[in-house]
Amino acid sequence: QVLLVESGGGSVQPGGSLTLSCAISESIFSFRNMRWYRQAPGQEREWVATITSGDSTNYADSVKGRFTISRDVAKKTVYLHMSSLKPEDTAVYYCNARSVYNSYWGSGTLVTVSS
């Protein structure tokens, strides 16, 4: 069974930074891409960023220029570095791994942006 464990969430003031981590139980090369999603209170889950097996990256317009997705293959970890955080970035952030036939999710980590 594939396990994904997110960490790094917490409370931060507007304009601050946080880096989320997603530790994976299997080699990153097992997956076609890795993604971060988020779900704000009372809202649907939304896609935030993707990193592919070829290291290409894509971002939602709402985070472009502020968030950076990266990966460390040796550590089997995917990161989401978030800067210039806004109150509207407050959400539970989820890591997702997709292979050809399956999609796996972590349990999420809460990010709260508030003064």
Side-chain angles (χ1 to χ4, degrees):
Q1 181 178 356
V2 177
L3 297 177
L4 284 73
V5 180
E6 301 96 336
S7 62
S11 295
V12 62
Q13 292 186 342
S17 300
L18 277 177
T19 297
L20 307 182
S21 300
C22 173
I24 308 156
S25 60
E26 295 187 7
S27 169
I28 289 179
F29 292 127
S30 300
F31 308 104
R32 299 177 71 181
N33 57 60
M34 302 290 301
R35 301 180 182 183
W36 284 96
Y37 288 77
R38 66 186 182 185
Q39 186 167 16
Q43 298 186 22
E44 294 188 353
R45 192 172 297 187
E46 65 172 357
W47 167 74
V48 174
T50 298
I51 186 165
T52 71
S53 57
D55 264 344
S56 297
T57 58
N58 284 291
Y59 300 91
D61 288 343
S62 59
V63 307
K64 198 171 294 183
R66 301 188 298 120
F67 289 13
T68 302
I69 188 171
S70 63
R71 64 180 189 170
D72 187 322
V73 173
K75 294 183 177 180
K76 296 190 290 184
T77 301
V78 176
Y79 302 96
L80 185 69
H81 178 67
M82 307 181 295
S83 61
S84 301
L85 283 162
K86 305 174 182 179
E88 51 263 43
D89 295 318
T90 294
V92 177
Y93 284 73
Y94 297 92
C95 182
N96 172 259
R98 297 193 180 189
S99 63
V100 175
Y101 299 108
N102 293 294
S103 179
Y104 304 94
W105 293 89
S107 58
T109 185
L110 176 63
V111 173
T112 303
V113 184
S114 174
S115 55

